[in-house]
């Protein structure tokens, strides 16, 4: 198991950093929504993070996925089976989640294109977490209604395509928080810097759409961003995104 750091960024909103990737827990009473599920080998980490916020993993009512990359979809299938929780994604991401299409770059291509000190160490650490294992969910469900989802935390899906075709952020308007997945990050093992940024372009399936999605994030009423990689960002999200819009 990795050492996870859990921070309550707003009432009932817990940001969990496991190092290479983050996920978020939304807690209402005893019930929990898990947003993203780490790498395939992180089932024990995700369940431990739920216990760490004083809840039982059996109280997981829903699993939401920003997008179907292995570091976000990782243990969703197992988590869903263990606790009887449905897995919800944007309709455009369903085929990707089922493993019927692939919209991701290989570690070898990353290494060939984005050489950074520490990149090899990163590749070897994510290998241990199961980056090479297939991650898929057999029966994902599309978001059932427009607007806020009827699950703990009442997250509002925000379509933010580009990184993948059906990437979705999740807005928590009552808290001014947005979970940005990989549409906006604040750091990455292969990035030279920290702070709000886009992932390197080769990670994006559709670069133009990814930029349009930054405008979508900038338009949200939010002053905390919880990214898929890097630390939580506190400050108006519109200001964080503005320098990235070119
Ligand atoms: Zn991704
Ligand atoms: Zn990612």
């Amino acid at each position: 198991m990795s050492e996870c750091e859990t921070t309550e960024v707003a009432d009932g909103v817990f940001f969990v950093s496991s190092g290479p990737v983050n996920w978020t827990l939304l807690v209402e009473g005893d019930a929990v929504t898990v947003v993203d599920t780490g790498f395939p080998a992180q089932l024990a980490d995700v369940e431990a993070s739920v216990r760490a916020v004083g809840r039982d993993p059996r109280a997981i009512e829903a699993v939401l996925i920003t997008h179907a990359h292995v570091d976000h979809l990782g243990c969703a299938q197992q988590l869903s089976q263990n606790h009887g929780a449905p897995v919800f994604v944007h309709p455009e991401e369903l085929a990707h989640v089922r493993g019927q299409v692939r919209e991701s770059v290989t570690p070898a291509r990353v290494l060939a294109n984005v050489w950074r000190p520490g990149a090899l160490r990163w590749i070897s650490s994510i290998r241990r977490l199961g980056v090479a294992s297939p991650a898929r969910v057999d029966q994902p469900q599309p978001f059932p209604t427009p607007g806020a989802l009827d699950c703990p935390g009442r997250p509002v899906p925000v379509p933010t395509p580009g990184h993948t075709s059906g990437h979705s952020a999740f807005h928590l308007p009552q808290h001014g928080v947005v979970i940005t997945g990989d549409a906006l990050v604040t750091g990455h093992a292969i990035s030279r810097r920290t702070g709000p940024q886009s992932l390197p372009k080769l990670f994006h399936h559709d670069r133009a759409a990814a930029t349009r999605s930054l405008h979508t994030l900038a338009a949200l009423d939010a002053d905390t961003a919880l990214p898929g990689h890097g630390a939580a960002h506190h400050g108006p999200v519109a200001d964080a995104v503005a320098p990235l819009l070119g």
Side-chain angles (χ1 to χ4, degrees):
M1 275 205 312
S2 348
E3 277 303 307
C4 294
E5 195 180 302
T6 301
T7 312
E8 187 169 17
V9 295
D11 192 21
V13 180
F14 295 88
F15 180 63
V16 185
S17 171
S18 75
V21 72
N22 308 320
W23 57 86
T24 301
L25 307 175
L26 308 177
V27 172
E28 238 182 70
D30 288 336
V32 182
T33 297
V34 179
V35 185
D36 280 348
T37 61
F39 282 93
Q42 292 192 289
L43 174 66
D45 291 337
V46 173
E47 292 184 338
S49 72
V50 172
R51 287 189 203 96
V53 302
R55 301 304 189 280
D56 189 317
R58 285 175 298 188
I60 298 172
E61 286 192 357
V63 177
L64 310 182
I65 299 296
T66 58
H67 67 296
H69 284 162
V70 64
D71 47 339
H72 301 259
L73 188 63
C75 68
Q77 170 106 328
Q78 201 61 49
L79 202 61
S80 169
Q81 282 175 354
N82 285 2
H83 308 298
V87 177
F88 292 109
V89 295
H90 188 280
E92 288 287 329
E93 199 71 356
L94 284 169
H96 198 188
V97 167
R98 289 191 207 105
Q100 294 160 331
V101 299
R102 180 185 167 91
E103 294 183 358
S104 55
V105 63
T106 61
R109 182 149 177 261
V110 174
L111 267 188
N113 287 274
V114 195
W115 174 255
R116 297 278 188 278
L120 273 177
R121 206 165 48 237
W122 170 64
I123 298 277
S124 98
S125 76
I126 63 176
R127 276 201 188 286
R128 280 197 300 277
L129 294 174
V131 71
S133 316
R136 64 163 199 277
V137 171
D138 294 332
Q139 293 183 310
Q141 298 185 27
F143 300 138
T145 50
L149 299 175
D150 185 18
C151 61
R154 314 293 132 182
V156 181
V158 180
T160 37
H163 181 66
T164 64
S165 298
H167 187 287
S168 179
F170 295 96
H171 189 208
L172 307 170
Q174 68 277 38
H175 299 300
V177 171
V178 59
I179 300 165
T180 60
D182 283 359
L184 176 74
V185 303
T186 62
H188 194 278
I190 57 163
S191 173
R192 290 177 199 276
R193 61 188 190 85
T194 57
Q197 59 192 280
S198 293
L199 281 166
K201 289 187 173 62
L202 85 157
F203 284 106
H204 294 318
H205 183 66
D206 179 338
R207 296 169 191 184
T211 301
R212 286 195 295 277
S213 287
L214 288 173
H215 287 271
T216 304
L217 292 175
L220 296 174
D221 183 11
D223 53 19
T224 298
L226 305 181
H229 306 275
H233 176 78
H234 300 283
V237 173
D239 294 352
V241 170
L244 310 176
L245 297 177

